[in-house]
Amino acid sequence: MQVAVVTFDGFNELDSFIASALINRCRKDGLEAFITTPTPVVTSMNGVEVTGQRPLEFVTEADVVLIGSGVKARDVVADDALISRLPLDPSRQLIGAQCSGALVLARLGLLDAMPACTDIKTRPFVEARNVTVLDAPFHAEGNIATAGGCLASQYLATWVITRTLGQDAARDVIDYVAPVGENQETTERALRAVHTGEVALG
């Protein structure tokens, strides 16, 4: 199972790297994440240059697509050519968005029937697209999920691992990376956030 962590120019390092790093702890179980970029090299909001591991077209074959956030999210959604390179399909893919990545999902029409989570600065722009924004760190309906706040990227990763490999696998990953002495608290918080934020669809 392959995960495309879509990372645009101006990206937030926490969003892309936390999700990919946590998911890649499941490589031995057949779940692997790749930093997926529209150009060979992208530069973060703090000037860190990163070479993409997969081109943007990789999203068509990925089992999971996570849209990262960044300071140029509004430029991304205004770029018709760039948006056209994201033919996502929630009927066969798990699709998640981190913070301003929710703008991209809204632009793609994937949030028409559901509320979303995003960061405080992005909230008015998501709401301007007639999407209800929740005061919560994580929300999922069916195969679509959104997370709000940089450190909520751990919840997005927990959701992906739980949906693909099961809760025990997610528990093992979060337990391993948790601050020493806070393992149980951190693990339970992540699993609770996902469980609470997930809406069962009939």
Side-chain angles (χ1 to χ4, degrees), residues 172-189:
D172 288 345
V173 168
I174 300 301
D175 180 77
Y176 187 88
V177 302
V180 172
E182 298 180 1
N183 301 69
Q184 182 174 352
E185 174 188 347
T186 303
T187 302
E188 292 305 323
R189 182 189 303 115

Side-chain angles (χ1 to χ4, degrees), residues 20 23-34 53 165:
S20 61
I23 291 168
N24 276 331
R25 290 190 175 276
C26 298
R27 279 199 193 102
K28 68 183 187 304
D29 298 313
L31 181 65
E32 189 168 10
F34 301 91
Q53 296 173 290
L165 299 175

Side-chain angles (χ1 to χ4, degrees), residues 8-141:
F8 298 108
D9 206 43
F11 72 95
N12 183 317
E13 300 96 331
L14 292 173
D15 296 345
S16 289
F17 294 157
I18 290 176
S20 61
L22 292 179
I23 291 168
N24 276 331
R25 290 190 175 276
C26 298
R27 279 199 193 102
K28 68 183 187 304
D29 298 313
L31 181 65
E32 189 168 10
F34 301 91
I35 299 296
T36 302
T37 57
T39 54
V41 176
V42 291
T43 303
S44 79
M45 60 191 292
N46 293 307
V48 179
E49 290 190 352
V50 172
T51 300
Q53 296 173 290
R54 294 288 187 276
L56 197 57
E57 287 65 31
F58 174 63
V59 300
T60 61
E61 60 185 273
D63 304 286
V64 181
V65 179
L66 300 181
I67 308 292
S69 76
V71 294
K72 298 183 179 180
R74 282 182 283 161
D75 294 333
V76 170
V77 298
D79 188 333
D80 291 341
L82 186 53
I83 289 296
S84 71
R85 296 170 65 188
L86 293 168
L88 307 186
D89 183 359
S91 71
R92 65 174 185 83
Q93 295 173 307
L94 293 180
I95 299 169
Q98 178 67 42
C99 291
S100 61
L103 267 179
V104 178
L105 295 195
R107 172 71 167 77
L108 291 169
L110 296 176
L111 299 179
D112 288 351
M114 65 179 282
C117 300
T118 191
D119 61 280
I120 294 172
K121 288 186 176 180
T122 306
R123 180 172 186 151
F125 302 105
V126 175
E127 290 178 331
R129 292 182 173 272
N130 297 315
V131 175
T132 298
V133 175
L134 303 172
D135 288 316
F138 177 84
H139 181 75
E141 294 185 17

